Amino acid sequence: MKNYFKSQLKKLGMLLTSGLALSSTLQAELIVLNEDVELQAMRYRAVNFLQGATMGPTRKESVDLADRMLKIGIEGAIEEWLDEQMAMEIDRTHLDVVLAFQKSMNHVRQGDRGRIIFFNHAWISNAVQQKDQLRQRMTFAYSQIYPASIHHFGTGTNFTTNRAPAIFFDTLATHAFSNHDNLLQAITLNPLMGGWLTHAHNRKANANAGTLPDENYAREIMQLFSCGLFSRSSNGNIIIDSEGNPVENFTNEDVAEMAKIFTGLVTTTGNNGNTLSTASSPRLNGAWYQTPMAPIEDRHDRTRKTVMGNTFPAGVNTIPEIQSAIDMIVDHPSTAPHMTLRLLQRLTASNPSNGYVRRVANVWADTRGNMTHVLKAVFLDREYINNLVESVVVTPINNNRSLVSYKPVDKLSGKVRENPLKWTQLHRFFESRPQFPKANAGAFAMYLDGIGVPSRGAIGYFQPGWAPDVFGYYDWEHTDTLGPIGEHTEQTGELVTAPELELVPTTMVSDFAYADTIGSRGGVRAAGSFSHFVNVSGLAKAQRNYTFRQLIDELDTFLCHGKMSLELKEMIVDRYGSVGNSDTRLGYTIATIMSSSEYSVTY
Amino acid sequence: MKKNSQNRRKFLTDCGKMSSLPVLSTMLNMSMFNSIMGARPSGSITDYKAIIYCFMQGGNDSFNMLIPTRNSEYNAYANIRRSFAHERKDIIPLKSDHPQQLGVPNSMREVANMFDDGDLSFVANVGALVEPLTISQFRNGSRTRPHGLFAHDAQQRVWHSSFGLRLRGQEANRGWIGRMLDILNEGANAGSEVNPSIVVGGGSAQRILRGASVSPFSAAGGTSQFRLHNQNNRVRDVVDASLRSHQDHVLQAHYNYVREETIEQTEFIRSIERGVDFEVPFPDDDWGRQFEQIANYIANRDLVGHKRQSFVAGRGGFDGHRSSRGGHSGMMGDLSKALYALNAALKQLGVHDKVVVCTGSDFGRTLSPNGSGTDHGWGGNHIVMGAVQGGKIFGEYPERLGGGSTDVGRGRQLPTTAIDQYHATIARWYGISASEMNLVIPHANNFPNNGVLDGMFLTPFEPNPNLEYHLDVPNNGVRLFAQADSSTLSSLPMSRSGINSRWKFVKHEATGLYYIERAGGGSSPRIRNIGQTNPVMQQHGNKGGRFVIFPNPNIPGTFTLDVPAAPSDFRRLRITANGNVSFVSDSNAGNAVSFKLTPA
């Protein structure tokens, strides 16, 4: 039996008997007064839910939701919370933050003023500070599902280029609770997307020049943003034909026909986007990014098209024809299960059950992907709620006290959290305000790495807005042939998906870098010069009277919803307990939690 | 390094799974498997070989990398490529005996030189196929087509896994090199001769190296940043300990597994990172840095006793929907300069003939532009360097670009060589036998010769000392002949098969070269080269005349018989059409020096 557990029980006047064989099944433990058991259980559940629906809950948000769950039940509290969140207006846009920067750049090193890093700051500032957390989380989810990226911007950019991703993210935020067709319409006309997937300034075929329309966006809006490459039934499974082959949704001829529809759009500028760029290639800088693309009808292919068996009559203008094409793909039977899978992977589960997918996909199909309904289907699903309820285990210790522990209901439930969420939750929990780096090169480098960490080998960063390619930051069907995942597949035949794990070998570099930063600087009290330097003084104040062990329990509850293992807690107490400086001690502890699977995986 | 106790069990399970697939023959049963394994005793790998796989993510516009130069073919190219067509003056012609004249853009000066010097070759029009396919079969669907054509992720998967009908599932998540390492590891002692493979870039292309028993070590971006991990022992110890808890939730357990593996792998990789001074500096760019890292690991291979190494490098930026001829040419120039440095490094390390450098990419691109770039295509051209026959174009370059018999629309080329053939050829060289090939490349047997292309590698002829051979020059219809106790050599028609036209090979152990002797014996049984035109027959004790049997790149399946110790003007045995036997210069090629060695 572990020392830590022993000492806990000793304090309670309990003698440990060999009959109390908890440790084998014990995931985590917190011993509380019986009257607090339900509250503690609800706190785990509230944190668990909020880790899927926000950028990481503050302590207050978790406590409030747990109280509400106690009062009106789990489902009622979640539905109320969702309704409140969806009713919130956008308070501050990403563009607001970028523009504020432009007004006062005194503290930014001259040489850095033209860099595209101000958007990074806008993103994390809003993610951490805005109250409309469900919208922020949806924006983050969308940015991975529909990733337009500034990754391809080369040199020669200037400050105003920061507006492009800001406006794209604002577009995503605007449509956080909108329909799939409205979202697709908006991102199709967004100039960053137009530049990224190259349908900006795409023209009808020109026989003299020997050119045909660009197929890029036509393919990806079908393959990635709607129906997908392969036909799926409503439970998400790929449909196999009589010869054992997956049924493909479209041919390259369909793509070529669809490409004709996405011709004619050009970048615009002016107050209302009323100035159209007539250049042959897009104007992809500064002001030209600020307003939606608009058509030059001369450049639009007005011939008759047939896509996936649907006919588009000749002579139709650009925008109405694009709307018809979007209607077609939104209503494609594979779209709801395909996009449901993608959304569930971003919010709650890497390996959702067929039933979970089907129930959400049915709502998606019935509402054309209306997020106000879809999100309720995601978070109020009986399987999801059951998971929240069943994973908390209460074991009586004596007449007064019980052990409240957390164990997974299903060994494939939940997901690995995207690395940026680990940082945003730390900021939010400690009420730390992201700071833009001061004028020093080291800080600047850290800022670029920041929450962004190398992904897909050395290419790109997991920095929101900086996806390395249209497939995003990772392979969304990523799995492993070895290790626990490989063994599970071998034993059960079930394929296990864990997209975020593709990045773990590289994200751990960043975790350790930060572990080191937080630890060695010890200056957790000082607001550091690093943007992602988490100032933990907020917590230190609120929990001033806590013992170190109580503090660990607190972090376990609010950062790990009770998943921290006994072994980890014990190690932390053993190894850091003797460190004299309380901030350094806390710094080490947070560094360790950042690296832990308890904080990195949620289920 | 890796968990080899599990290898065999995993591999056996997988063979069982694969054999249930309809596309595979019933040959894949366990007795077959055991006989394969039986043929690979521990420590059986003695020579050193390595593969460096360079993946160009996004789909390289490779018909602008290998370009037709002859008038009519260039004109067809220019006509469909329009603004993407290189001007003739900007194309460097390659010195090749290929029936079509081909060239590279002038940004690839180094590649052109390496081609002309015999260090490098091309493989033309390679793409996903699961069986040979004509354009009409493609159109009418009468033959199996690969899944997910023209889509990045699907086509990358086919390149990685060489399993065109499996885009999902464990088989699709393993790479062809990974499966090859599974097999070689089984035979190698505890895997240390073969493992590990190392990925230095290329993102998801690391899948190439994933097997049932092996996964690649990642050294992308270098490992210096991992040193931060070691700076605070107190934190490191706690983190290390925490990695071993929580085994009952699969994702959480796997998270810990990946992190623990990464720490272990990083420490391993750093153990073979010793600085090496390369005479030709590597460019300080994506390819250059990755190639230098790889050259470094190759240089230090003996620190860990590696006999088989495999590496994946890669870079993105090839998805040229918005691109230009000049931009692409610049990227090709980067590759060219980095390959040049790598080529020099491999020579400096003395492993140029032991390492294959090869390229892969999602697909070729449409030849007709989209107004500002090019779209997704199918077949594309690739570079092979190092241990391959240099100065060659393998496969079939399309006879006409745009509207030809391989154009499935907008100049997308129906591949004439399957990715599986390209890989199978390298796999055979790496040590995979014909009977093992479908374990590595499941559809390989849909293609001739287990998918192995002729001529890319010159495998030395290993004569059986117990057999007698006819030494024929088939194109001249003649056969080497020597009467008993005569001092002269002559020839006979190939219809004659008496004892005087049969030969034995006797290996000279010290040099590995062969004496060629009359099967019928006699007082002068041994062919000798005395540094003159005429060969003579002499007795056993005579030391001159040790032959190298050199595979003939010009006529596959034939060999030249050379005496390396002789002056180069009189080194190579020849039988002319009228039957004269003589020694000629070793620059002599063609029919008269092309011997076919047939067991008599």
Side-chain angles (χ1 to χ4, degrees), chain A residues 27 208 212 215 248 480 603, chain B residues 82 148 210 246 252 412:
Chain A
Q27 281 297 310
N208 289 335
L212 288 158
E215 296 173 6
E248 302 200 6
D480 204 335
Y603 47 79
Chain B
R82 302 295 175 121
R210 217 166 260 286
H246 278 295
Q252 190 170 5
R412 294 181 175 91

Side-chain angles (χ1 to χ4, degrees), chain B residues 30 95 193 212 237 389 457 460 561 586:
Chain B
M30 295 325 287
K95 290 189 186 126
E193 293 163 1
D237 289 351
Q389 267 301 103
F457 295 98
L561 301 177
D586 62 6

